[in-house]
Amino acid sequence: MADERLRSRLRVVSEVLLYTTEFFHAEEFTQLLPVMLGKSTDPLGPDPGSSILKTPEVEYLGMKLYSMNSMILHKQVAVRDVGKIFILSPNIRLEKGERRETKKHLFEFTQADFEIPRAKKEDVIRIMERYFTGLGERMKEKAALFVPFGIEPFSFKAPFKIRNTHELEAEYGADWELKASMDSDQPFWAMCHKREFYDAEDPNEPGHYLNYDLVYPLGFGEALSGAERESDYDRIIGRMGRDRLNMDVYKAYIDEARKGFVPSAGAGFGMERLGRFLTKADHVGDVQMFRRVPGEDVVI
Ligand code: ASN
């Protein structure tokens, strides 16, 4: 039988899932069911610090399919064809065993992933600040769930500070995330990260990116990442070439891009990381019924 603290953590995560679903429905998003295999998936890079050992692939009836690192490529298709969408999306990321030490990495987790047509980063910031403020209120109604941890539910005080990676690096060095998180008592936005081809570059400031992370305070680190998307076909192809991606693997995605994407913005945030932050768990694996921590044995 799961111990009392684990049961309490699972109750909190369960309330978070209910709140998240209600929130996105109230904001008139269409909830899609997740895909778990696709002809291509998020390349998660190029990232010199990447710790992904491999992306699982299966041969199935003459097709090569990859498990989802994230549904970002599918989100760009869905946001064009459906409009505002969200998904509780299970992801597999086979991280090196040493990632156990970060306390925030899992090799299987679920993110709330959403995308909004014709939105800008300010729209995502506003919607997420409503989400977290409302979540804090909901958790206050459920304060009894937090008694086993000897804590009160966290009070989110929006608007959150907006920083950018250039000033954070200047202040804390290249590994700014944990230090800046420890120095904060509220979540903060970190804007402008050089990363995957699908995050849009600022047309007015090349080398700057229209993307963002939200970082939890008190040392809990990254909560969410997202961006305004690159939707222009030629720029998508150019960025994929820059990243030396294998165009054969991305053929189906490129065909969709050629039909035309709508400009959009969105983000994804991990449900387990949120559960860890709310319950002040030591490790993100501590909020999983079935732990999926890199470097640990899988019990069942
Ligand atoms: N969900 C993220 C996004 O929307 C992508 C990711 O998980 N890497 O940008």
Side-chain angles (χ1 to χ4, degrees), residues 5 31-32 54 58 105 114 126-127 130 165 172 178 189 219 263 269 297-298:
R5 289 169 76 81
Q31 181 172 15
L32 300 184
K54 60 178 170 188
V58 291
H105 282 95
F114 64 94
R126 271 195 299 271
I127 194 164
R130 278 204 296 283
T165 56
Y172 295 101
L178 186 60
W189 294 99
F269 53 105
D297 192 20
V298 166

Side-chain angles (χ1 to χ4, degrees), residues 190-208:
M191 317 298 286
C192 189
H193 305 253
K194 184 171 192 311
R195 58 188 177 207
E196 292 85 357
F197 73 88
Y198 50 75
D199 284 5
E201 194 167 356
D202 190 337
N204 304 316
E205 258 192 297
H208 289 255

Side-chain angles (χ1 to χ4, degrees), residues 4-45:
E4 174 68 31
R5 289 169 76 81
L6 175 57
R7 278 205 300 276
S8 302
R9 290 204 166 92
L10 294 173
R11 285 286 311 281
V12 171
V13 173
S14 180
E15 291 294 342
V16 167
L17 293 172
L18 176 63
Y19 169 80
T20 304
T21 306
E22 287 176 358
F23 176 86
F24 282 107
H25 281 263
E27 299 268 342
E28 300 186 326
F29 284 71
T30 299
Q31 181 172 15
L32 300 184
L33 292 169
V35 291
M36 284 178 271
L37 293 171
K39 285 195 165 166
S40 55
T41 188
D42 188 342
L44 294 179

Side-chain angles (χ1 to χ4, degrees), residues 83-134:
K84 289 163 76 171
I85 44 122
F86 90 100
I87 311 122
L88 291 173
S89 175
N91 293 174
I92 294 176
R93 297 187 189 174
L94 300 183
E95 307 272 1
K96 288 184 185 147
E98 65 216 35
R99 280 281 162 111
R100 176 175 197 275
E101 307 311 322
T102 67
K103 301 187 173 189
K104 61 171 192 181
H105 282 95
L106 296 169
F107 66 86
E108 260 190 56
F109 63 93
T110 294
Q111 59 172 317
D113 215 2
F114 64 94
E115 201 67 24
I116 309 168
R118 287 167 287 279
K120 297 286 180 196
K121 51 191 184 337
E122 293 74 18
D123 301 310
V124 172
I125 288 174
R126 271 195 299 271
I127 194 164
M128 278 294 95
E129 292 185 345
R130 278 204 296 283
Y131 171 91
F132 281 104
T133 314

